[in-house]
Structures are given as C-alpha cells and as structure tokens.
Amino acid sequence: MSLTEKDSRAPESGAQPPVVAGVFARVARFSHRRRRLALTLWIIVLVGVWAAASGGDDYRENYSLPGTESQAAADLLNHSSKTTTGDSLQIVLHDEDGLRGADVRGRVDAMLAEVAKLPKVTQVRSLYEDESAISRDGTIGYATAVLDVTAPNMPREDTERILDTVKEVEGQGLTAELGGGAARKLATGEGGWGEMLGLVFALVILVFMFGTLIAAGLPVVTALFAVGSTLAVIVVASHFVTIADYTPYVMMLVGLGVGIDYALLIFARFRSELVRGATPEEANVKALDSAGRTAFFAGSTVILALLGLVALGLGSLQGMALSVALTVLVTLLASLTLLPALLGVFGDRFARQFRARAAKRAASSRPEEGAAWRRFASGVQRRPLAVLLVAVVALGALAFPALSLRLGFTDAGNDKAGSTSREAYDLLSKGFGPGFNGPLYVVVEGKDGAEAPATAVAAALNDTDGVAAATGPIPTDDPNVATVMAFPTTSPQDEGTSELVGTLRDDVLPKVAEETGARYLVGGATAASEDYSDKVAARMPVFMAIVVGLSLLLLLMVVFRSVLIPLKAALLNLLSIGAALGAISLVFQHGMFGVEPGPIEAYLPVVVFAIVFGLSMDYEIFLVSRIQEEWHRAKDPAVAVREGLGHTGSVIIAAGAIMVVVFGSFMLSPERMLQQMGFGMAVAIFVDALVIRCLIVPAVMQLLGRRAWWLPAPLAKVMPGVRLERH
C-alpha cells in the first residue's frame, strides 16, 4: 500500500473530525422564535447609527508614501516654506480672436476681481501678470485662484460659486472653464442610480429563481440592512481615521454583492428543507447550520483577504480595506440573524408555495431539480483532461494582457466629456502642450544656496529628450531650496512621461549632482504614480503570503482536511484574478469597445486581488463542501462530484449572475476608478462561477479522485476539524 493510499484513509479511520458546536443552530432557533425581537433590534441599530451619523462625513485621502523620492520632494518643499497654502484652481479662458484686446481684458479683470471676493479664495493671479500664462497664439490663457484649503476639503458648493462667477464672463466668443482638483469633484456627480439598477436586475434573477417577489426580496432586504448600517458607522469613523471618499462606493459594491450572495445560499437551503417536509423552524435551523456555516467561513476568507491590504501600509487604502472588511462582517451577522427572523415571519407561506410547486413538478413529466446539472457534470467527467486544458488555455489567454499593466492615477483628462474640468484640461493641452497638465518638478537642495545648481539642472533638462521646456529656478523661503518645473512633451498618462521620470532619476540628475554637489529630487503626479507602483510591487510578497496563506492554505485546510483542495483553490483563484486584470487592461488601458485608453489605477490590482480572492471562496466552499458531504455519504468520488454540482450548480450560477449585475452596474458610475473596479470584479465573478466552478473544479476533482481528500497522517492528528455540513 502506498503512502498516498494510506494517508487518504486517515479521515475515515477512527472518529470523524469534530463538528463545531451548534452555535449556528442555536442562533437560527433564537432568531426564528424571537423574530419580532430580532427585527426590532436591527431596526434600532439602523436608525441609531444613522442618527449618530447625522453630523455628516469627513472623508479624506492620504497618498503619502514614506521612503519614496516623490514623497521626499514634497516633504522638502513643505519644510522650506514658512507659510502653508491650500490648493489652487485654474480659470482657463479661450477666445479665437485673442485674449489681449482691451474689451476682453476689461471683462476678464472684472470677473477675476469678483472671484477674489469669494469664500475660500485667498488670492487670484491674473493671466495678464505673466506672459507665460497666455499661449503663443494669444487665444488661450489661465488665471490662478489660490485657495485656503486643499482640494479634498474644498466644499462643493464653494467650488460651484466660483464656477458660476467664472461663467458670467462668457459671451461674444469668450469661453471660460475651471480646472484643478476641486473642480474635478463637479464632474463626478452624485451617482447612485447605477447601483439601484443593479439591485433591480438582482431582484429579477431572484424572482425567476424562487418564483415569488417576497422570497426574492428577502436577500435584498438583508443586504440593504447590513450595508446601510455599516455605511453610517463609516460616516462616523471618518471623523477619527483616514477614509477615502470613494470608500462608500466600494463598500456598496462588495456589501450588496456578498450580502445577496450569502442570503441566497442560506435561503436556497431553507427552501430545499421545506420541500423535504421540514417545518419552517426546522428548515431555518438546518439551513443556517449548513449553508450558514458555509457562508461564515466564506465570509471569513473575504475578511482575511481584505485585512491583507492593511499590511501594504498604503495610506487611505488601509481605511478602505478596514471599512469593507467591516461591511462583510456586518453582512454576515445580518445573514445569520436578520435573515432567519425574516424567514420565520414568512415561513408558513413559503412552505405552502414551495411544496405546491414541488408537487406540481413531481406530477408532471419534468425532470427532478438538478438533473440537468448532473448530466452536465457527467459530460465533464467523461473528458476531464480536455475540459481542463481548454478552460485553462482560454483563461490564460485572457490573463496574458495583465503582464503589461501600466499603473497610474486618473486626471482631468479622464473626466466626463463636457465637464468644466475636462474642458479646462483640453484647452490647456491645446494651448500649452500635452505635458502642461502634468509637470514634473525637481526640488533642488544646495549647501551654499540653491540658485546656481537649480540653474544648472534647468539647462540640463532643456537639453533632455522628452522635456518640452524647463522653467526656474523658483525660490522658496529657504535659500538652499528651490524648484525647477519640467514640462514633458507627452501627457501625464502617456507611457513616455513615465519613461522620462526614469531617465531623469537614473541618468540626467545623477550627472548634474556630480557636477554641482547638490541634491535633486523628482516629484509630481507621474513620479508619485511610479513610486506608488514600486511600493506595491515591493510589498506584494507579504500581501500574497497573508491572503493566500491565511485565507486559503490554512483556513481551507482546516475546513476540508485536505492538502490538495486548498492548493487547487489558490491556483484557480489566481487564474480568475489574472483573467480579470487582463480584461481590465484590454478595455481601459488599450481602449477596447471604444473606452478612452489610459493607465490602470495604481492601487486597483491589489484591491481586486484581495476582494476577488475572498469572494471566490463563496463558490469554492459552497461547491466543495457539498461534494465533501456526498463523499462522506457515498465514498465514491465520481458520484460526489456529480451530486455536488447537481445540488449547487443552479445556486452558484444565480449567485454569480447577481454579483455580475451588481458589480457591472458600477460601470455606469462617472468615476473611472469605479468603472474599472466594477468591470474587473464582474469579469472575475463571471469567470469564477461559470468556468472555474462549473468546469475546472469538477474536472480537477474527477482527475484527483480519492486523492483530493489526502491529508498526511501526522497533520491529521494535530489539525482541528470543522465540518460544514451535518448529515
């Protein structure tokens, strides 16, 4: 007898692995019997947290990158300035007949004087004070409004007042637009209707699956309670910790998806128990003690994966990760307490409806439920190697573009067409060149004054390919620190600008530093993007070790008492994530389907990695736990795979379809980051539910046979056992 054969029987010999104490059963019974109390408590929680959040939010972003050159440049500039100012807005003007005419100048000066009187504006620098602020042909120019706050803290209504004042100058061929970080907020809109559309489609799928509007509405209601409560908590928390303003959208994206998903898994099991003849209370208890247990461990993997983002230490990304992890936790609590209470309220009604429908099916010539999925599984089992190879090659081809991901951050050039920030961006590019909207700045620190070394580097920059012009030196309050601005010949998101950053840091500036003895640091948006990408790459091994090690190899090994199943899950999850990132690259980086090409948000790959890696476990645990249940019952691996897919295939497809429509609805958002995230996660779930769980997993499990449940005997003795299903 081989070692493999001997070890594969370890779980069968002696006592069965211990079952976790029936906490889920007790919670289900309590929620069912005390359903009015459970519902009242959830309503009190929802109303209470929103009452606490009535003071509004204080979302803010933190993109600081300690230890990077761009951050060092920003810190040196801040320390060398005795006064602190906020960000600025560009008032961009365009007149085909020229901006220098007396009539146009009089109107513009009057408008700028009115802008200077508005709240949050500390100073206005006219375009007529600096010849370089007007294009060579005289048709495009810009004035600068200095604010007393940063762009994230600029109230939207104050920005709108500035824009309204600026627009009053328009007429007789003169147009005016507003550019800058605060102006970009006006292009984002409030959103929300896309998410509602996703919920409507999810409700349609649930109605089709369960046959009644009430049954379909319970998973949606559960998800809305959970997400709504958590959103209010995050509003309050934003006053104490750094949470980015895009966090609520990501919370809704994930919370609605997993909330409906978990509730669907539990409700599907509840329905099957009712059809078997169980009372509503018994069905509630059995559903929560099986599917509820599965949802709990699936949710735990999502939370662990999200906490892996905290280890990256990337500013406001940590606040987002903790917020979404809290959303998943509250969603789990709602699925395990609120949903059983709702099932208790409508249990008798559901029992009559579902049993009547089952009796009607039995009386007709229609095949039993799951028969089509059993035939499908049998087809996969007949040619498992061919199915595996075709599916893996197809997903590998889709994932291939991910190898050339170009990371960066969106700018006004990605804003909605027709918005004032986009129009200002386009006008400045037309009048002053594509690099004007994303200049690089070189911070110079000299021991005996910065003017001479700054002049030297300006000359070197003007002789560098890829630099349209270099201006400076710009002095600071510290005589030993100055700045030189370098305007690239390419746009901020162009690959050539990224290459220019590397050329300056690796070639041009070291030579000038050797000649002058000064210190040179490259900063600016593109430089920060490059540093951000490098930071993510450097910390990726730790991040992957946490996500893969804790959420899969450790947790799944305990749950399934197997070595090969967690390894298989890890590899397949990486394949689905690669396919998602490849699809994002094709659409948003290379412009497929007419989308404006540009870089992928620098933090998006790790966010998608963490969330999708966790969400994929929903289907992995749901499917494999049912296969494990059939394996313990029949001891035949082929039967276990066929019956496992027969019982879960329709639920997996329905749950996957719901997640796809919820995530896909975020493509309707005006924000490019949310479009990228929604599209990528929709592709990942589509691939995971349809290709991986319904094709690759049955094929792999068929090829592994009994070896799928192999666990070395020494490990089996010390590893705790957790069974997801009761028999």
Side-chain angles (χ1 to χ4, degrees):
M1 181 181 296
S2 68
L3 178 63
T4 300
E5 294 171 331
K6 180 179 179 180
D7 287 341
S8 67
R9 296 207 308 262
E12 301 174 31
S13 59
Q16 290 289 341
V19 179
V20 171
V23 175
F24 298 95
R26 290 196 294 271
V27 170
R29 200 176 302 278
F30 174 85
S31 298
H32 182 93
R33 294 179 177 178
R34 303 287 187 272
R35 45 189 175 271
R36 291 175 183 253
L37 175 61
L39 290 171
T40 301
L41 289 176
W42 269 101
I43 293 173
I44 291 174
V45 168
L46 183 62
V47 174
V49 292
W50 274 109
S54 59
D57 59 67
D58 186 23
Y59 296 123
R60 54 194 184 278
E61 300 183 15
N62 176 17
Y63 290 115
S64 61
L65 293 171
T68 63
E69 184 172 336
S70 59
Q71 187 63 46
D75 292 341
L76 183 57
L77 275 182
N78 290 334
H79 293 154
S80 62
S81 178
K82 296 179 181 178
T83 59
T84 58
T85 60
D87 290 329
S88 61
L89 291 168
Q90 290 77 47
I91 301 170
V92 184
L93 300 147
H94 176 227
D95 192 322
E96 288 294 340
D97 295 328
L99 296 171
R100 293 188 174 93
D103 178 62
V104 172
R105 179 165 182 167
R107 292 161 56 197
V108 170
D109 285 339
M111 177 269 291
L112 296 179
E114 291 299 317
V115 171
K117 300 175 185 178
L118 295 176
K120 307 300 182 185
V121 178
T122 61
Q123 178 188 0
V124 174
R125 293 195 290 267
S126 173
L127 64 162
Y128 301 111
E129 297 175 11
D130 183 0
E131 278 298 315
S132 64
I134 300 178
S135 62
R136 291 182 179 179
D137 62 4
T139 61
I140 298 174
Y142 65 93
T144 303
V146 181
L147 308 175
D148 61 6
V149 295
T150 59
N153 296 320
M154 179 68 172
R156 184 187 180 99
E157 56 271 18
D158 288 334
T159 307
E160 290 175 340
R161 289 180 66 180
I162 295 174
L163 177 61
D164 292 341
T165 303
V166 167
K167 286 292 187 179
E168 290 176 359
V169 79
E170 291 189 327
Q172 302 177 25
L174 177 64
T175 60
E177 304 291 349
L178 196 63
R184 292 195 63 197
K185 289 186 177 182
L186 304 181
T188 60
E190 297 298 329
W193 67 277
E195 297 91 304
M196 293 304 300
L197 186 62
L199 284 178
V200 170
F201 279 113
L203 192 61
V204 170
I205 295 172
L206 289 169
V207 170
F208 180 78
M209 183 175 183
F210 293 120
T212 69
L213 185 61
I214 294 178
L218 294 192
V220 176
V221 169
T222 304
L224 288 175
F225 260 87
V227 175
S229 301
T230 316
L231 279 173
V233 173
I234 297 306
V235 168
V236 176
S238 66
H239 293 274
F240 306 99
V241 296
T242 302
I243 299 177
D245 57 0
Y246 60 82
T247 299
Y249 299 102
V250 182
M251 290 170 60
M252 286 189 287
L253 180 77
V254 177
L256 291 176
V258 300
I260 296 174
D261 211 20
Y262 297 157
L264 172 61
L265 300 183
I266 295 171
F267 194 97
R269 188 64 182 239
F270 174 78
R271 181 185 63 172
S272 66
E273 295 296 338
L274 286 179
V275 171
R276 291 176 184 176
T279 66
E281 182 176 346
E282 292 173 347
N284 216 339
V285 172
K286 290 180 180 179
L288 213 65
D289 205 30
S290 54
R293 193 186 302 265
T294 299
F296 173 78
F297 284 100
S300 298
T301 61
V302 179
I303 293 172
L304 286 173
L306 287 165
L307 293 180
L309 288 174
V310 178
L312 288 174
L314 296 176
S316 52
L317 193 63
Q318 294 176 307
M320 185 277 292
L322 291 172
S323 300
V324 179
L326 179 63
T327 304
V328 176
L329 177 61
V330 175
T331 299
L332 270 177
L333 293 176
S335 299
L336 300 176
T337 57
L338 175 61
L339 180 62
L342 293 171
L343 294 178
V345 172
F346 299 100
D348 293 332
R349 179 174 184 171
F350 289 155
R352 292 191 299 269
Q353 292 175 338
F354 294 150
R355 287 168 185 167
R357 193 173 293 114
K360 186 177 180 180
R361 173 186 285 270
S364 66
S365 58
R366 296 171 61 188
E368 64 175 334
E369 191 170 354
W373 282 106
R374 292 181 179 89
R375 290 195 301 272
F376 180 84
S378 297
V380 172
Q381 289 175 310
R382 283 194 292 270
R383 298 287 188 274
L385 186 58
V387 170
L388 178 62
L389 290 176
V390 171
V392 169
V393 169
L395 294 185
L398 182 58
F400 183 76
L403 297 176
S404 59
L405 277 179
R406 187 164 61 85
L407 304 180
F409 290 105
T410 59
D411 57 22
N414 302 116
D415 287 349
K416 182 171 57 178
S419 63
T420 188
S421 56
R422 174 63 180 273
E423 293 297 317
Y425 180 97
D426 291 341
L427 284 173
L428 291 173
S429 296
K430 179 181 178 182
F432 301 93
F436 185 83
N437 284 294
L440 301 173
Y441 61 84
V442 179
V443 181
V444 184
E445 185 180 27
K447 297 179 181 178
D448 301 317
E451 183 174 356
T455 302
V457 78
L461 291 174
N462 280 314
D463 291 335
T464 302
D465 291 338
V467 176
T471 62
I474 303 171
T476 67
D477 294 329
D478 186 341
N480 292 325
V481 178
T483 305
V484 174
M485 305 297 295
F487 295 95
T489 57
T490 49
S491 66
Q493 296 184 3
D494 194 282
E495 191 171 357
T497 308
S498 299
E499 294 173 354
L500 177 61
V501 173
T503 300
L504 296 182
R505 287 176 170 175
D506 300 335
D507 185 22
V508 177
L509 297 182
K511 292 180 180 178
V512 181
E514 185 176 350
E515 296 172 358
T516 63
R519 180 189 181 198
Y520 298 96
L521 300 171
V522 180
T526 305
S529 296
E530 295 298 306
D531 290 340
Y532 199 101
S533 302
D534 292 342
K535 199 82 166 181
V536 170
R539 298 184 182 181
M540 199 68 176
V542 175
F543 169 68
M544 292 185 65
I546 293 174
V547 174
V548 178
L550 292 180
S551 66
L552 284 181
L553 300 185
L554 179 59
L555 183 61
L556 288 192
M557 193 177 293
V558 171
V559 169
F560 293 120
R561 297 183 66 78
S562 167
V563 173
L564 298 180
I565 286 178
L567 289 174
K568 176 263 300 175
L571 293 175
L572 293 183
N573 284 0
L574 290 174
L575 190 59
S576 66
I577 292 168
L581 294 178
I584 291 175
S585 175
L586 287 174
V587 173
F588 291 95
Q589 181 176 319
H590 299 287
M592 184 178 285
F593 305 128
V595 175
E596 184 175 353
I600 307 304
E601 290 289 332
Y603 49 80
L604 190 67
V606 291
V607 172
V608 170
F609 187 103
I611 295 175
V612 171
F613 214 87
L615 293 180
S616 296
M617 286 303 94
D618 292 357
Y619 310 120
E620 174 70 13
I621 293 178
F622 186 62
L623 172 60
V624 177
S625 65
R626 193 62 192 234
I627 293 175
Q628 185 185 41
E629 180 181 0
E630 299 298 333
W631 161 248
H632 283 299
R633 180 180 291 120
K635 301 302 180 184
D636 185 332
V639 171
V641 172
R642 184 168 59 252
E643 290 299 314
L645 190 61
H647 284 292
T648 62
S650 60
V651 178
I652 289 175
I653 291 299
I658 289 171
M659 276 202 176
V660 168
V661 297
V662 171
F663 294 160
S665 67
F666 277 75
M667 289 189 66
L668 302 175
S669 168
E671 293 197 27
R672 185 177 173 91
M673 182 275 288
L674 291 176
Q675 293 174 0
Q676 292 178 358
M677 183 176 293
F679 174 76
M681 291 175 63
V683 170
I685 296 301
F686 176 84
V687 166
D688 195 89
L690 184 63
V691 180
I692 291 182
R693 305 305 157 194
C694 296
L695 287 173
I696 297 181
V697 170
V700 171
M701 295 294 286
Q702 177 68 24
L703 291 171
L704 290 176
R706 298 171 62 89
R707 293 184 296 274
W709 310 105
W710 171 69
L711 184 68
L715 195 58
K717 292 179 180 178
V718 299
M719 182 176 293
V722 176
R723 183 175 299 166
L724 297 181
E725 303 285 350
R726 289 182 181 273
H727 318 306

